[in-house]
Amino acid sequence: MALNDYFTGLQHVGIPSKDLDVTIDFYKSLGFEQAGLFHNGENRCAFMKFGNLIVETWEGDPVAMKNGAINHISMNCTDVDKAFAAAKEQGLNVLDDEIQSIPSFWDNGIRFFNIQGPNHETIEFCQIVK
C-alpha cells in the first residue's frame, strides 16, 4: 500500500486572500472562471478555474504578502481513508491527527489531510465527497 495509489494528480493550489473580491476579480481578468464560492464558517472560499488549473483562495487566514505565499498544493484523492493510512505507514510527516472535513464545500463536502514536505511545503490530500 503506497500513498500514490490513492491520488490522481494535482487538484488545486491554495492561496489565502487579503481581499477575496479583489482576488476573484484579478483571476477573472486573467481568464479564470469562478468554479465555486463556498462558506466556511463566517469566511468565504472561491475556486477559480482555467483549463485544468484550479486556484483555491479564501479569506480569514493570515496572508504573507511576500513571494512564496502559496499556502498548499492539493492532490486529488480517490480514497482519503486509505491514503491517510498509507501516509502514516510510509512514515511521512502527517500534520493532522485525523482526517479533516469541510461539509459546506461542493455538493457533499470534502475530506482531507495534510503532510509536510522536506522544504516545509504543505501537501493536502483532498477527496471531494460524492
Side-chain angles (χ1 to χ4, degrees):
M1 171 167 63
L3 181 56
N4 65 343
D5 292 333
Y6 304 108
F7 67 90
T8 60
L10 183 68
Q11 185 184 89
H12 66 264
V13 174
I15 304 171
S17 175
K18 180 178 167 186
D19 182 324
L20 189 61
D21 295 317
V22 168
T23 302
I24 290 169
D25 287 344
F26 170 78
Y27 281 96
K28 283 182 176 178
S29 78
L30 297 178
F32 283 70
E33 63 182 65
Q34 186 175 305
L37 181 64
F38 307 103
H39 283 87
N40 186 12
E42 295 181 10
N43 296 312
R44 298 172 302 152
C45 177
F47 288 84
M48 306 300 295
K49 181 177 182 180
F50 186 89
N52 65 347
L53 173 61
I54 296 179
V55 173
E56 174 194 26
T57 184
W58 66 94
E59 58 195 4
D61 281 341
V63 178
M65 299 304 288
K66 62 181 183 177
N67 293 340
I70 291 175
N71 178 274
H72 67 276
I73 62 169
S74 178
M75 306 308 286
N76 188 51
C77 196
T78 58
D79 187 326
V80 73
D81 296 296
K82 289 181 180 176
F84 188 64
K88 292 198 292 189
E89 185 177 301
Q90 282 181 239
L92 298 172
N93 186 4
V94 179
L95 300 176
D96 300 299
D97 293 331
E98 60 187 24
I99 294 171
Q100 308 296 304
S101 67
I102 302 176
S104 58
F105 284 18
W106 304 111
D107 291 334
N108 298 305
I110 61 170
R111 297 181 67 227
F112 65 96
F113 68 93
N114 297 288
I115 66 170
Q116 188 173 65
N119 303 296
H120 285 248
E121 65 272 25
T122 298
I123 305 164
E124 175 184 86
F125 292 85
C126 183
Q127 182 175 9
I128 298 172
V129 178
K130 300 291 180 189

